[in-house]
Amino acid sequence: MDSEFDRDTAVTLREPGVYDAELSAGWTIISAVNGGYLLALLGRALGEALPHPDPFTVSAYYLTPSVPGPAVIRTETVRTGRTLSTGQASLFQNGPDGAEVERIRVLASYGDLDTLPDDVRTSAKPPAIPPREHCLGPSDGPAPIPGSSAITERLDIKLDPATLGWALGAPSGKGEMRGWFGLADGRDPDPLSLLLTVDALPPTSFELGLTGWTPTVELTTHIRCRPAPGPLRVAITTRNLAGGFLEEDAEVWDSADRLVAQSRQLARAPRG
């Protein structure tokens, strides 16, 4: 494994259905481990535990914040069919008192993306994002992006200037985030890395005028096809913030103009 993403999502089989993992500090947001990175980590464990290779749909509940360090993933095969297999997985870490704490629980169905038919009937269109050279990344601003952290060094993100008002103190209020996405080491996207991609851009709450940590409560991701090599385009929207919670709907498009992943998450709005 030459990619940092692959190294940091590696799991080691301890016994049937049980995997050891090390949560890397390189994928943290403020002090917590990024939810998309965690989803990819559990996705890798399920990919090894289930008979089918590719995630089709993955739903995760984030129970307590994860921290860098050792973790244990326990998987269970719920059902195995001809075209789909379903399993669940939970990630545990030891708390301050040494007792085991469940951090995240996942239910997922896996299949083989290479066996899917080519028929596509869609009204969805790729997001209108300026060319990559006209978009902006963390290094293009006069100061670090609020809330940024170690994960930004591992990602190659260029954001649409139309969704960067928050970085200039003038958020649009539209709850939109769009940009180009890749891994900083040049690793091409695959179904597993798409689980990271849907939760890797700055939160839409920034463009709603709120800054600070936006912790994920639940995240469901659908992988629609195997992405082509090259950069991805990501568009995320929030239509409703109410009662201290907001949703984020994400679409991920590959270099061949195909919709390769979709997600919806419920997150707690920042208190700022």
Side-chain angles (χ1 to χ4, degrees):
M1 294 183 182
D2 296 326
S3 167
E4 188 172 17
F5 171 80
D6 291 317
R7 292 195 302 269
D8 290 346
T9 57
V11 295
T12 302
L13 182 66
R14 178 196 296 184
E15 58 187 69
V18 181
Y19 299 84
D20 291 312
E22 184 75 20
L23 305 190
S24 169
W27 303 88
T28 51
I29 297 291
I30 306 177
S31 60
V33 180
N34 171 260
Y37 164 73
L38 291 171
L39 200 62
L41 184 68
L42 272 78
R44 188 179 293 281
L46 280 169
E48 295 195 10
L50 296 173
H52 291 94
D54 301 316
F56 274 28
T57 180
V58 183
S59 293
Y61 286 83
Y62 295 80
L63 307 177
T64 53
S66 300
V67 296
V72 176
I73 300 172
R74 295 190 173 92
T75 66
E76 177 187 348
T77 299
V78 176
R79 179 185 180 276
T80 297
R82 186 175 60 85
T83 59
L84 287 176
S85 55
T86 299
Q88 61 182 11
S90 291
L91 184 145
F92 299 86
Q93 291 185 301
N94 289 336
D97 60 356
E100 199 171 65
V101 178
E102 187 175 7
R103 302 297 195 193
I104 174 176
R105 184 177 297 189
V106 163
L107 183 66
S109 289
Y110 275 56
D112 187 346
L113 290 169
D114 294 330
T115 65
L116 297 182
D118 294 330
D119 184 35
V120 176
R121 310 180 195 192
T122 182
S123 60
K125 297 180 180 180
I129 301 176
R132 194 175 178 281
E133 59 270 22
H134 296 155
C135 293
L136 303 174
S139 62
D140 296 316
I145 293 175
S148 67
S149 55
I151 193 174
T152 61
E153 300 174 10
R154 278 139 197 92
L155 305 178
D156 182 10
I157 295 178
K158 294 289 187 177
L159 296 176
D160 184 341
T163 66
L164 271 173
W166 55 273
L168 304 175
S172 68
K174 293 181 179 180
E176 298 176 349
M177 201 66 63
R178 293 184 299 274
W180 296 88
F181 177 88
L183 292 172
D185 60 12
R187 180 195 189 275
D188 278 322
D190 67 1
L192 195 67
S193 72
L194 292 176
L195 298 177
L196 164 70
T197 305
V198 297
D199 192 43
L201 266 62
T204 55
S205 56
F206 285 4
E207 273 296 85
L208 292 173
L210 301 173
T211 58
W213 188 36
T214 309
T216 303
V217 177
E218 188 270 348
L219 171 59
T220 294
T221 303
H222 303 309
I223 307 301
R224 307 308 301 269
C225 63
R226 195 176 304 281
L232 301 166
R233 283 161 294 171
V234 185
I236 308 176
T237 59
T238 292
R239 298 179 58 211
N240 191 55
L241 187 159
F245 293 86
L246 58 91
E247 89 289 343
E248 287 192 340
D249 291 317
E251 292 184 352
V252 182
W253 295 77
D254 71 359
S255 59
D257 284 345
R258 298 178 304 167
L259 181 61
V260 295
Q262 298 166 277
S263 73
R264 165 167 281 198
Q265 71 168 281
L266 181 70
R268 189 182 295 276
R271 290 177 170 83

